[in-house]
């Protein structure tokens, strides 16, 4: 029997309204909904080859053979795909990122979105966008948002069936850009999979989750109406709220470095002086500065004048995950 092969690419995404904490950790059903946009120019490309003649999975990321927890996580995901297709084969998985994993950009979203497309296609399955989003969610929650195009909302749902992401506005809807300030220093910290399990230990999490529908409505409306100042206000509050939960959970998660705070403060001052910019941070010290595309050069130059900046990446709004030949 021949091997079954497929290749797909997907972008990472940046959440404007964040999720943090799961209602169900195994199925990765989040406690609250979230809104993001895909990051164009950054991508993961993944090929999956189910082969009836091999006796274990292999995983190669950026030409490096992976073992241990990374391989186990991918294998678990492939067994789930085997269960849907009814074809119980092992696979060779080959993946490459065009952005440095060490840059601290969440790579698991793009990785599991691309893997979902490639693995289902290689297994002979023909999936709808919603089905693919649900499948990607099982690999990494935020991966479900890297399946549809442009601006995306993850409806939290309550179970496997109704927890998935949909596009709320197409890629060309609004020319926002994520200017990512990569902060200097070794970022050895707790990843999001573990972090989600600590969220409930923070006394703030309940209030954050209860208020999420309000923040989602404000974020969604600001995007649909292209109202930057309304978006900026809710994006920064939402990011600060998530980090307040992280800082007050047990164990404490404090992702910020001194340079992180310098950028956050500077962005607030720049906005007061009329520049449409706001910040949001994931589970790490890098600052995502969201701006209108006409301000990219201005913002880049200003960020580079601040202390502790290692690198800057620029990502406009990106399209959906897709198959390639
Ligand atoms: O889905 P995960 O495990 O990559 O978690 C993502 C968590 C944040 O990036 C901090 C927030 C979000 O909504 O993307």
């Amino acid at each position: 029997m021949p091997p079954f092969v497929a290749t797909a690419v997907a972008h990472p995404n940046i959440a404007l309204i964040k999720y943090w904490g799961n209602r169900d950790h195994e199925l990765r059903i989040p406690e609250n909904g979230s809104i993001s946009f895909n990051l164009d120019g950054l991508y993961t490309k993944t090929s999956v080859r189910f082969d009836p003649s091999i006796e274990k999975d292999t995983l190669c990321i950026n030409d490096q053979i992976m073992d241990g927890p990374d391989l186990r996580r991918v294998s678990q995901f492939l067994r789930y795909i085997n269960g849907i297709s009814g074809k119980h084969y092992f696979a060779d998985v080959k993946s490459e990122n065009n952005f440095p994993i060490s840059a601290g950009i969440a790579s698991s979203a793009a990785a599991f979105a691309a893997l979902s497309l490639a693995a289902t296609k290689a297994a002979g399955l023909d999936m709808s966008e919603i089905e693919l989003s649900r499948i990607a969610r099982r690999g990494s929650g935020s991966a479900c948002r890297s399946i549809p195009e442009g601006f995306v909302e993850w409806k939290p749902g309550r179970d496997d069936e109704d927890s998935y992401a949909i596009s709320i506005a197409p890629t060309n809807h609004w020319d926002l850009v994520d200017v990512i300030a990569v902060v200097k220093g070794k970022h050895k910290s707790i990843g999001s999979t573990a972090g989600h399990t600590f969220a409930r230990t923070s006394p703030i999490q309940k209030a954050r989750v209860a208020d999420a529908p309000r923040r989602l409505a404000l974020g969604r409306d600001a995007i649909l109406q292209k109202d930057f100042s309304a978006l900026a206000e809710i994006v920064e509050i939402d990011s600060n709220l998530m980090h307040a939960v992280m800082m007050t959970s047990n164990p404490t998660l404090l992702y910020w470095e001194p340079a992180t705070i310098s950028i956050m403060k500077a962005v607030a001052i720049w906005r007061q002086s009329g520049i449409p910019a706001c910040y949001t941070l994931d589970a790490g010290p890098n600052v995502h500065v969201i701006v209108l595309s006409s301000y990219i050069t201005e913002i880049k130059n200003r960020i580079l004048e601040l202390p502790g900046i290692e690198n800057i990446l620029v990502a406009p709004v990106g399209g959906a995950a897709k198959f390639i030949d």
Side-chain angles (χ1 to χ4, degrees):
M1 204 173 297
F4 305 91
V5 190
T7 301
V9 289
H11 301 296
N13 64 75
I14 180 66
L16 300 174
I17 305 294
K18 314 283 194 188
Y19 99 97
W20 191 248
N22 288 320
R23 173 194 295 276
D24 181 323
H25 288 297
E26 202 182 320
L27 294 175
R28 296 181 192 262
I29 312 291
E31 285 200 81
N32 67 279
S34 51
I35 294 177
S36 59
F37 67 81
N38 292 335
L39 299 179
D40 197 26
L42 310 180
Y43 66 81
T44 298
K45 176 175 148 192
T46 298
S47 299
V48 175
R49 183 171 167 278
F50 282 112
D51 187 341
S53 70
I54 60 175
E55 285 174 6
K56 65 182 178 73
D57 299 315
T58 63
L59 173 63
C60 180
I61 301 180
N62 295 338
D63 293 326
Q64 212 186 318
I65 306 285
M66 309 300 284
D67 215 334
D70 291 320
L71 176 61
R72 277 201 295 280
R73 190 165 168 188
V74 166
S75 285
Q76 190 185 1
F77 188 80
L78 293 171
R79 296 299 79 77
Y80 174 65
I81 304 290
N82 288 158
I84 305 176
S85 70
K87 294 186 198 116
H88 295 274
Y89 306 143
F90 292 105
D92 291 324
V93 177
K94 208 169 177 311
S95 191
E96 56 191 66
N97 298 299
N98 77 334
F99 55 99
I101 294 184
S102 59
I105 313 303
S107 51
S108 63
F112 278 98
L115 182 62
S116 300
L117 251 73
T120 51
K121 176 105 167 191
L125 297 163
D126 188 16
M127 295 291 187
S128 70
E129 189 172 273
I130 287 177
E131 285 168 324
L132 283 165
S133 179
R134 287 175 44 228
I135 289 171
R137 190 202 72 235
R138 287 174 170 255
S140 172
S142 57
C144 78
R145 296 190 310 236
S146 283
I147 297 286
E149 73 158 318
F151 296 86
V152 173
E153 180 164 358
W154 178 5
K155 305 285 182 187
R158 296 191 73 84
D159 57 34
D160 183 43
E161 281 295 310
D162 61 2
S163 186
Y164 55 82
I166 54 165
S167 180
I168 56 169
T171 308
N172 63 3
H173 167 68
W174 195 10
D175 56 349
L176 292 187
V177 175
D178 183 4
V179 179
I180 308 165
V182 180
V183 163
K184 272 192 188 136
K186 278 220 156 71
H187 311 152
K188 205 167 178 257
S189 51
I190 293 188
S192 54
T193 298
H196 290 297
T197 66
F198 309 142
R200 274 186 207 173
T201 64
S202 164
I204 298 174
Q205 172 72 347
K206 255 202 182 125
R208 192 192 75 87
V209 170
D211 181 57
R214 184 189 70 90
R215 298 193 307 281
L216 286 161
L218 288 172
R220 192 187 307 119
D221 287 354
I223 290 168
L224 296 180
Q225 289 160 22
K226 302 187 213 174
D227 180 342
F228 194 90
S229 59
L231 184 70
E233 194 176 315
I234 199 63
V235 163
E236 290 189 357
I237 286 173
D238 186 83
S239 173
N240 291 350
L241 254 178
M242 181 183 77
H243 282 268
V245 167
M246 291 164 162
M247 288 177 200
T248 51
S249 69
N250 187 1
T252 298
L253 303 175
L254 178 50
Y255 288 110
W256 302 355
E257 295 293 333
T260 311
I261 301 172
S262 303
I263 306 167
M264 291 162 76
K265 289 196 166 211
V267 168
I269 293 168
W270 299 340
R271 190 161 71 256
Q272 273 161 22
S273 74
I275 295 180
C278 65
Y279 66 76
T280 183
L281 281 76
D282 282 345
N286 300 330
V287 184
H288 295 252
V289 184
I290 310 298
V291 288
L292 292 176
S293 64
S294 48
Y295 288 84
I296 294 175
T297 312
E298 169 86 35
I299 287 289
K300 267 178 86 170
N301 291 340
R302 285 177 181 238
I303 293 174
L304 284 171
E305 280 171 16
L306 297 171
I309 307 298
E310 183 167 296
N311 186 16
I312 294 187
L313 301 171
V314 175
V317 181
K322 58 176 195 279
F323 298 115
I324 52 171
D325 290 334

